[in-house]
Amino acid sequence: MKSINQIHRISLRDQVYQQLRNAIINLELEPGERVNDKELAEEFGVSRTPVREAFKRLEDEGLIISSPGSETKVSLVDKIQSRDAFTVVASLHELAARLAIPYLTEEHAVTMEKINADFKLAIKNAQRLEAIQLDDQFHEVILIASNNPEILIALERLMSKIRRLELLKFNELDGMNSVKQHHDIVQSIKNNKTDLPELLKQNWLSLSSQLTSDMLT
């Protein structure tokens, strides 16, 4: 008999967690905003249990703050934490580039070139969410080519510490500099790729510098 694999459906608690996480990261729930498990349970049409479980996971990630007897709130954006996360993110992208080098082809470069053109247009039109999503798509090409899912798993957790700061300060960013850096990355893939890991690392460190430049040292 032909074997049939069980279809895995995302659990209710995971759905609640993912939606709340996305709402926080995309600033639909703003830093410092009060969140209430009873109200959210009613909005989701679920019991309070999956919402409370989501709160616990989000608290572990530093996205909400809750303590007994006090209000639960979306955490404020911590620039020091973001800066530290950027350092690790840059190193992970550098590693991904090193691992991806043997597998990257002209086809990958063409795909990334098209994404970068759309990214440039989104920046010109001040479409911050679309621009950031396109930036993710650009880098995802190399991440997937690295054939190391552990890098993706590590980045998923780290990016939550960065994304809100990116959105909050989007209008202060030099988007055209990112477009140019992306162009250089594409050209490296088309050529000998020797400088690709360093270009990836500097792309992320440059973003870090822009977003955290007003921090006291």
Side-chain angles (χ1 to χ4, degrees), residues 33-37 51-76:
E33 183 174 343
R34 172 185 161 275
V35 285
N36 180 278
D37 60 345
V51 177
R52 287 173 174 169
E53 289 175 346
F55 277 8
K56 179 65 173 66
R57 291 172 68 180
L58 293 167
E59 189 173 7
D60 289 342
E61 291 183 38
L63 291 174
I64 67 169
I65 299 171
S66 117
S67 54
S70 62
E71 293 180 331
T72 300
K73 294 182 179 181
V74 176
S75 65
L76 299 178

Side-chain angles (χ1 to χ4, degrees), residues 88-113:
V88 183
V89 166
S91 295
L92 286 171
H93 278 278
E94 179 187 22
L95 172 60
R98 291 188 190 282
L99 295 173
I101 283 174
Y103 309 105
L104 289 169
T105 65
E106 179 76 16
E107 187 177 349
H108 289 104
V110 170
T111 297
M112 294 170 76
E113 210 161 33

Side-chain angles (χ1 to χ4, degrees), residues 82-196:
S82 298
R83 182 186 62 185
D84 292 344
F86 263 119
T87 302
V88 183
V89 166
S91 295
L92 286 171
H93 278 278
E94 179 187 22
L95 172 60
R98 291 188 190 282
L99 295 173
I101 283 174
Y103 309 105
L104 289 169
T105 65
E106 179 76 16
E107 187 177 349
H108 289 104
V110 170
T111 297
M112 294 170 76
E113 210 161 33
K114 172 63 170 62
I115 295 170
N116 197 35
D118 293 340
F119 175 63
K120 181 178 180 179
L121 185 61
I123 288 172
K124 285 185 174 179
N125 293 332
Q127 297 170 301
R128 62 178 188 173
L129 271 176
E130 184 173 349
I132 289 172
Q133 287 167 358
L134 287 164
D135 187 54
D136 285 345
Q137 289 175 29
F138 179 89
H139 289 287
E140 192 175 63
V141 174
I142 293 176
L143 291 171
I144 291 172
S146 74
N147 294 306
N148 190 324
E150 291 300 325
I151 294 177
L152 290 166
I153 292 169
L155 284 171
E156 174 71 14
R157 188 173 180 89
L158 287 163
M159 289 307 294
S160 66
K161 303 178 188 302
I162 291 172
R163 185 56 26 99
R164 290 191 297 163
L165 183 59
E166 231 181 322
L167 286 166
L168 284 169
K169 301 191 71 172
F170 179 82
N171 292 333
E172 301 174 31
L173 294 174
D174 181 3
M176 289 303 108
N177 184 56
S178 290
V179 171
K180 181 184 181 303
Q181 290 177 332
H182 286 181
H183 171 77
D184 293 343
I185 289 166
V186 170
Q187 292 308 306
S188 178
I189 293 172
K190 288 183 175 182
N191 298 320
N192 56 23
K193 306 185 187 81
T194 54
D195 57 348
L196 183 63

Side-chain angles (χ1 to χ4, degrees), residues 12-23:
L12 187 62
R13 65 182 181 182
D14 286 339
Q15 290 182 58
V16 171
Y17 159 75
Q18 202 61 59
Q19 287 193 48
L20 284 176
R21 187 176 188 273
N22 288 340

